[in-house]
Amino acid sequence: MSGLTESQVASFRENGYLVIPDYLTQAEIEALLAETNTLLNDFSLDSHPLTQFTTGDDDQADHVGDDYFLNSGDKIRFFFEPDAFTSEPDPLTGRAALIKPKHLAVNKIGHSLHTLSPPFKSVSLNKQNAAVARSLGFKDPRVLQSMVICKQPSIGGAVPTHRDSEFLYTNPPSAVGWWYALQDAGPGNGTLGMWKGSHKGRKGGHIARRFVRKADNKGTEFIENDSASLPKGMEEEKASEPTDKDLEILNVKAGSLVLIHGNVLHKSEKNTSPRSRYAYTFHVIEGADEWEYDKRNWLQPPEAGFSRLYQ
Ligand SMILES: O=C(O)CCC(=O)C(=O)O
């Protein structure tokens, strides 16, 4: 199985991301969309805590702090769009109520599709991805935090600017995101915006803050990072702070893979269009001994450890 070409690796190292069109076959795209629709239609609201998902900074971080979220690392769970609810609580239940059918109200499904859903597992833990990881220099790549991000028509929430290693921190940083467009994603329906080269540098690319579980395990917060903030081998690379002229708004077709360096700054806007923007993403971290997975990360490994990509 061939991995990335030399020029693809060079482009990833230079820009901090790489778009590979037609990475998934049409049959794979259809199988993943069918599975997504089945999951969205079949899950039950009966015992659902109606957890809303925001990746917002600071004051919103508590919203992703309930047990339903914190214990979802080895499960398939459903997180709602904040804009899918009434603004006032229902007088009978005392809770905000859904104003959309549930399949149009979900922000994301996560976080272990790569182990629990056969179609998602087969596009995650496979030889092609192992070859890509080898090209990127991984010694013992481990897969974690898989999810479908739905970006529902007109209410699909924005994802604020962040670096993935802030959330899945190893010391030193090693995360890379695999992001598959399951539908066309472009300006208008909440596609990815990437700051070219922002993974590098004395300032620009540093992991300066981290998203962690609070000490009492009740909720999450951002803290200052006082451990290594750049991946091995990048310590000497210098670049200036990213500016908006470095921002590329991706326009990608369904089936494209976007590889996202864990230190690169990126975001996505709210989907205000009538077209959904389903994407499947998982992350890879270095599992070899010299990289320590942080015990305060929101997602902790299952007993058997995170899924190996090299078999
Ligand atoms: O799919 C999106 O809108 C954002 C994804 C993202 O930022 C991530 O997976 O790190």
Side-chain angles (χ1 to χ4, degrees):
M1 191 62 68
S2 63
L4 302 175
T5 63
E6 261 176 46
S7 78
Q8 284 175 315
V9 173
S11 170
F12 178 78
R13 300 232 181 278
E14 183 57 26
N15 297 322
Y17 58 95
L18 176 73
V19 178
I20 309 176
D22 299 318
Y23 191 80
L24 296 178
T25 64
Q26 194 54 38
E28 284 171 327
I29 298 169
E30 283 165 20
L32 299 177
L33 286 174
E35 173 78 344
T36 301
N37 289 326
T38 302
L39 291 168
L40 287 175
N41 287 321
D42 289 359
F43 82 98
S44 168
L45 282 182
D46 292 346
S47 57
H48 195 290
L50 298 185
T51 303
Q52 299 170 31
F53 185 76
T54 66
T55 49
D57 296 345
D58 308 328
D59 61 327
Q60 292 187 337
D62 274 346
H63 293 167
V64 290
D66 70 1
D67 286 349
Y68 186 78
F69 176 84
L70 288 174
N71 299 333
S72 65
D74 57 355
K75 302 186 180 63
I76 296 180
R77 289 190 164 171
F78 301 83
F79 303 94
F80 287 104
E81 287 291 355
D83 286 356
F85 289 86
T86 52
S87 50
E88 297 298 327
D90 181 305
L92 287 178
T93 62
R95 299 199 306 178
L98 278 181
I99 51 173
K100 298 260 176 192
K102 69 180 166 72
H103 70 282
L104 292 176
V106 170
N107 167 296
K108 72 170 182 173
I109 310 170
H111 289 97
S112 203
L113 293 158
H114 66 287
T115 62
L116 298 173
S117 158
F120 284 107
K121 186 174 180 177
S122 82
V123 299
S124 309
L125 306 177
N126 63 26
K127 291 194 171 128
Q128 192 180 10
N129 288 334
V132 169
R134 219 165 252 120
S135 308
L136 295 177
F138 275 97
K139 294 185 176 181
D140 179 10
R142 303 296 185 107
V143 174
L144 69 167
Q145 194 179 262
S146 53
M147 50 200 172
V148 171
I149 301 176
C150 299
K151 286 271 175 165
Q152 305 288 0
S154 66
I155 59 163
V159 176
T161 46
H162 66 282
R163 299 179 156 97
D164 289 348
S165 281
E166 295 167 344
F167 294 83
L168 301 171
Y169 182 74
T170 57
N171 190 9
S174 62
V176 173
W178 260 240
W179 187 97
Y180 299 103
L182 301 183
Q183 297 176 318
D184 296 351
N189 73 342
T191 189
L192 291 176
M194 313 293 301
W195 274 272
K196 231 175 235 191
S198 62
H199 59 308
K200 294 188 190 177
R202 284 271 170 237
K203 285 186 187 152
H206 283 238
I207 301 303
R209 62 170 195 174
R210 296 191 26 227
F211 181 78
V212 297
R213 287 177 183 241
K214 286 183 177 163
D216 61 4
N217 236 351
K218 291 201 171 27
T220 49
E221 62 185 340
F222 281 100
I223 57 166
E224 209 174 299
N225 180 30
D226 55 12
S227 300
S229 58
L230 290 170
K232 275 188 202 297
M234 276 184 59
E235 293 84 353
E236 299 310 319
E237 292 188 49
K238 289 190 185 178
S240 51
E241 285 281 351
T243 66
D244 277 353
K245 77 172 173 26
D246 305 313
L247 176 62
E248 185 187 6
I249 304 295
L250 299 187
N251 199 351
V252 293
K253 291 275 173 223
S256 304
L257 168 65
V258 184
L259 290 172
I260 303 175
H261 190 290
N263 286 56
V264 84
L265 203 58
H266 61 290
K267 66 168 182 179
S268 65
E269 298 293 344
K270 183 169 177 160
N271 182 9
T272 51
S273 82
R275 288 182 299 133
S276 57
R277 194 235 62 188
Y278 288 2
Y280 171 58
T281 180
F282 60 84
H283 298 80
V284 175
I285 50 132
E286 184 57 83
D289 282 348
E290 309 93 279
W291 285 261
E292 189 189 355
Y293 188 78
D294 200 275
K295 291 194 169 43
R296 289 192 67 187
N297 287 345
W298 86 265
L299 197 163
Q300 290 300 312
E303 242 170 66
F306 293 125
S307 309
R308 285 175 194 277
L309 201 42
Y310 296 165
Q311 295 305 326

